[in-house]
Amino acid sequence: MARKEDLRFVRTNRKLFETFWTLCGEKVMDELSVTDICEAAGINRATFYKHFVDRKEFSMYCIAQKLLEVRLEHSGREFVNVNTYYDDALREMFAFLRYIKELNAENLLAG
């Protein structure tokens, strides 16, 4: 079974993701450490590093995931996970930015 399809893997990623955004409400994103995130999520640091190379990759994953959620909310499509690779995350971010650009163009034409 592929890692991204393993239910435990998906649940752990989701727990880390939710914890990240909760902590971002309490601290500046750059001040969050892997230890802060793991302790709040109840997840071992070793498990974190099985999922992500470092905090930077994890932060990019969380931002891309949040952008995807917002994008899908507006499009009415079902929510899916993006995987943790940078190219996929960047692809999703660029797709979201294109979507925003199109919305702005439509609003300018309608306005």
Side-chain angles (χ1 to χ4, degrees):
M1 182 182 305
R3 258 185 127 167
K4 64 183 177 182
E5 295 172 4
D6 181 346
L7 199 52
R8 292 170 300 168
F9 188 85
V10 171
R11 275 189 283 218
T12 299
N13 272 9
R14 191 70 194 168
K15 180 68 175 168
L16 288 167
F17 169 80
E18 291 168 355
T19 300
F20 175 81
W21 289 108
T22 299
L23 292 176
C24 281
E26 301 168 7
K27 282 185 164 182
V28 176
M29 189 182 304
D30 289 341
E31 295 175 1
L32 291 177
S33 68
V34 171
T35 301
D36 293 334
I37 296 162
C38 290
E39 285 179 359
I43 292 170
N44 190 303
R45 282 175 56 92
T47 301
F48 177 92
Y49 287 111
K50 286 179 183 176
H51 289 250
F52 302 98
V53 172
D54 56 21
R55 191 181 62 82
K56 184 176 179 179
E57 181 189 44
F58 173 66
S59 296
M60 282 192 61
Y61 166 81
C62 289
I63 292 166
Q65 190 74 11
K66 182 59 83 174
L67 288 171
L68 178 61
E69 284 182 359
V70 169
R71 182 172 155 230
L72 293 177
E73 279 178 22
H74 290 286
S75 71
R77 291 175 26 207
E78 184 178 328
F79 175 75
V80 294
N81 278 330
V82 294
N83 83 36
T84 59
Y85 297 105
Y86 285 114
D87 57 338
D88 288 344
L90 290 172
R91 190 175 6 266
E92 284 301 325
M93 285 191 286
F94 285 126
F96 178 73
L97 292 173
R98 277 192 303 276
Y99 171 74
I100 294 298
K101 183 179 177 182
E102 290 168 8
L103 279 180
N104 286 336
E106 289 174 13
N107 288 337
L108 286 173
L109 291 174

